Amino acid sequence: LSTSPPTSPRCMGDCSYRWPILKRSTMSNSTNAPCRFLQSEGVLRLGVPEDFAAERLMPILSRFGLEHPGVRLEVTCGLGPELMRVYRQGEFDLLLVKQMGQGVDCLACWPEPMCWVDSRSAPAFGRDPLALVAFPVGGLYRNEMLHHLEMAGWHWRINYSSASLASVCAAVAAGLGISLLPTRVIGPQHKVLQASSGLPDIQGVYLALYAQPGLSHAGHLLLGQLRELCEAPQPRTAAT
């Protein structure tokens, strides 16, 4: 937990943001406790992957802001390799990140099953060259996908690229190409490509939780909530 002044917003690709929860929580409680009387508890900086389950994470962050109005929580969303680089430079207090392997200094990690995904209504698999939908250069899924396709001798072409998980999923559903995605994000508009497709089986992706030393009490509370979120069972996809 840092006591330094909040840093100015920075972009990390096109899916990054700083979220000053302090401003929202003090405004919502303005009738009981004017903002000028709140005692600042510093800044807590969190990095999260763009494809993390936002619908489950946002309620936790909102509740944390209400319970700790003196903490300015800054959340940065981005691609894994860039998030890790920024964390190593000491610019995040807490980090959730996708990585290959379990790592050596993370506090906890959880396997992230992956699968090849196609459109159910307008399949792209079978085109030559193989039509792909991908994250931008430097994204973990993109790196692994292209590396394994090259090793297996596939001819491929990227038809659509976006740093937004929602855009990638929508492009696959529309039939612009196939992609390598976590099984938990597959929707009814998608079709999972089985081993019979001949595509390489790519596993070994983990969701890892990191924390800098010297966290405040509030920082440890958020750390525990993030750990509970990651340990909760993930819904299984029925797409086949």
Side-chain angles (χ1 to χ4, degrees), residues 87-161:
Y87 173 79
R88 295 300 186 193
Q89 292 177 345
E91 297 185 35
F92 291 142
D93 302 298
L94 294 168
L95 174 66
L96 275 172
V97 67
K98 300 294 182 63
Q99 63 185 30
M100 293 302 296
Q102 300 184 29
V104 295
D105 61 338
C106 63
L107 299 179
C109 63
W110 302 267
E112 182 79 289
M114 307 294 293
C115 63
W116 290 96
V117 186
D118 199 354
S119 169
R120 182 173 295 278
S121 61
F125 184 70
R127 301 175 192 170
D128 188 17
L130 185 64
L132 299 177
V133 174
F135 284 91
V137 174
L140 177 63
Y141 301 161
R142 177 189 177 117
N143 292 345
E144 293 301 312
M145 179 170 64
L146 299 187
H147 170 71
H148 284 83
L149 288 176
E150 289 282 356
M151 293 292 292
W154 285 81
H155 299 288
W156 53 267
R157 179 178 64 200
I158 295 177
N159 286 350
Y160 186 90
S161 177

Side-chain angles (χ1 to χ4, degrees), residues 3-4 31 38 61 71 82 86 94 96 102 132 134 141 183 204 206 226 231:
T3 57
S4 60
T31 57
L38 285 176
L61 299 182
V71 178
E82 178 64 10
V86 174
L94 294 168
L96 275 172
Q102 300 184 29
L132 299 177
Y141 301 161
T183 58
Y206 284 81
L226 293 174
E231 290 176 346

Side-chain angles (χ1 to χ4, degrees), residues 7 14 25 29 48 51-52 54 84 90 96 179 194 199 202 211 219 229:
T7 55
D14 63 359
S25 62
N29 295 321
V48 295
D51 67 325
F52 194 64
M84 179 58 74
L96 275 172
S179 192
Q194 305 298 331
L199 292 166
I202 304 176
L229 173 64

